[in-house]
Amino acid sequence: MKEVEVWEHVLKWGLAQNSNLIQDSNTWTDDDFKKMKATLQNCIPLIRFFCLSSKEFTHKVRPYQKLLNNQLYEDLLNSYLDPDSVSTYNILRPRKIISTESTARIIDSQIVDSSIVSTILSRIDKTAKSKFEYKFELLLRGSRDGFTPKKFHELCDGKSKTLTFIKIKGTEEVVGGYNPLTWESSESSGEWGETKESFIFSFKNKNIKNAIISNVKKTECAILYNSIGGPLFGSDIIVKASSESAVYDIIWCRKLYYEKKIRETTDPFFIEDYEVFQIKRDN
């Protein structure tokens, strides 16, 4: 069942408990809203409102906004008006689970959890019917496939709409980015991929409250293609090696072609693991 259908059934149940009310909330008085809110007080916290599309929110939730906690409603509204906003509200795990493996997560990742994935997906596609009409195909995992540019290009070249997650060794910090373009290999010193849809991000301790999401600023330098590089987001996330078959040894984050600084330091770091997923609509 889609989350909007869960919400609709909860409303129907609430109306059944208040037989004097009709579904059209425009006819309700303040007292009517108070009665309905009291009826649904144990149900509303269980609704995954952040899984709704902007259209569903506008037509199915907004008419009943007086039933919701003020902070919850403001966070919901902000999530649709500003793709970079991060809610302070306790976002529940997805109700519908999709995975490339038989695991209890929406993504077969050893680096991130569903709350991070939901935050990223809300930034990628605000028009989706729900955040969970996707499937994630694992293209590469460093601990499984290796940490070389050659393996990255073998497994990821020609693939579009990819998410990269990089776990920084010795920390609980994850950085990465979204590339709507295909990954390619360039034999020259590097070629640029232009897009306005890419962004980079960082999460500390898998906590979405500490998330930093940075949109591309110089769109003509959004993605860098290089045969001795892995996933290169502008010059802001650099993952390179001395040769195609060598292990990555040039890795850092800095602010250059994207809007925000995603790490406090520009010092080089080591990768504990990294994953690249291709995002596909689950029809």
Side-chain angles (χ1 to χ4, degrees):
M1 184 180 290
K2 294 179 180 179
E3 200 63 32
V4 68
E5 294 172 340
V6 176
W7 171 237
E8 288 172 338
H9 281 290
V10 166
L11 285 175
K12 287 180 181 178
W13 179 83
L15 289 170
Q17 313 311 307
N18 296 274
S19 56
N20 61 313
L21 297 181
I22 62 173
Q23 190 168 357
D24 184 4
S25 62
N26 290 324
T27 66
W28 295 6
T29 65
D30 287 342
D31 285 339
D32 292 335
F33 274 104
K34 288 179 181 179
K35 290 178 182 178
M36 189 66 152
K37 187 173 184 177
T39 300
L40 302 182
Q41 62 180 332
N42 294 323
C43 299
I44 287 178
L46 303 177
I47 304 297
R48 276 74 166 165
F49 289 107
F50 288 89
C51 301
L52 303 178
S53 69
S54 57
K55 185 176 181 180
E56 289 167 342
F57 171 78
T58 299
H59 296 290
K60 302 295 184 179
V61 177
R62 196 171 184 181
Y64 302 97
Q65 69 180 80
K66 291 183 180 180
L67 299 178
L68 306 185
N69 172 283
N70 288 337
Q71 184 61 54
L72 170 60
Y73 185 80
E74 285 300 314
D75 284 2
L76 278 169
L77 190 61
N78 287 336
S79 75
Y80 295 107
L81 296 176
D82 179 9
D84 296 332
S85 67
V86 177
S87 174
T88 57
Y89 198 79
N90 183 27
I91 301 176
L92 298 175
R93 286 174 63 90
R95 191 181 305 277
K96 182 179 179 183
I97 304 300
I98 292 178
S99 174
T100 55
E101 303 280 342
S102 297
T103 61
R105 293 173 289 181
I106 66 170
I107 185 171
D108 177 29
S109 174
Q110 296 181 1
I111 297 177
V112 298
D113 58 22
S114 60
S115 63
I116 290 179
V117 174
S118 297
T119 301
I120 295 299
L121 286 183
S122 68
R123 170 63 183 82
I124 292 174
D125 190 358
K126 284 291 185 179
T127 64
K129 292 182 179 178
S130 84
K131 293 185 180 71
F132 314 111
E133 292 186 345
Y134 293 92
K135 58 182 178 181
F136 299 84
E137 180 182 350
L138 179 62
L139 301 178
L140 179 151
R141 175 174 291 140
S143 56
R144 181 191 69 184
D145 304 308
F147 297 85
T148 66
K150 182 178 180 181
K151 185 56 68 173
F152 170 77
H153 289 292
E154 283 179 4
L155 298 176
C156 300
D157 277 8
K159 305 291 186 180
S160 62
K161 296 181 174 63
T162 57
L163 264 178
T164 298
F165 298 107
I166 301 170
K167 174 72 162 55
I168 298 176
K169 190 173 184 178
T171 74
E172 290 301 317
E173 188 176 359
V174 175
V175 298
Y178 171 67
N179 176 18
L181 307 175
T182 59
W183 288 109
E184 305 293 344
S185 179
S186 172
E187 298 300 329
S188 65
S189 59
E191 296 180 5
W192 295 106
E194 180 175 358
T195 176
K196 63 180 180 180
E197 297 177 13
S198 66
F199 59 90
I200 57 177
F201 50 80
S202 66
F203 294 87
K204 292 183 178 179
N205 301 312
K206 294 185 178 180
N207 189 343
I208 61 173
K209 293 181 181 179
N210 296 327
I212 299 175
I213 299 179
S214 178
N215 297 320
V216 64
K217 179 173 63 176
K218 191 173 182 180
T219 57
E220 63 270 28
C221 297
I223 303 297
L224 181 58
Y225 302 124
N226 195 308
S227 61
I228 60 171
L232 303 171
F233 292 87
S235 292
D236 299 56
I237 296 182
I238 293 295
V239 182
K240 294 176 68 177
S242 57
S243 67
E244 293 181 25
S245 300
V247 173
Y248 299 129
D249 59 356
I250 306 170
I251 313 160
W252 73 72
C253 295
R254 63 182 178 182
K255 179 181 177 294
L256 194 61
Y257 299 135
Y258 284 75
E259 292 178 351
K260 301 176 185 177
K261 187 178 182 180
I262 63 170
R263 293 200 77 209
E264 295 176 359
T265 176
T266 59
D267 293 343
F269 59 86
F270 294 99
I271 296 177
E272 181 176 314
D273 205 353
Y274 84 117
E275 298 170 335
V276 182
F277 292 88
Q278 184 173 33
I279 306 173
K280 298 180 180 179
R281 285 291 184 90
D282 187 41
N283 297 321

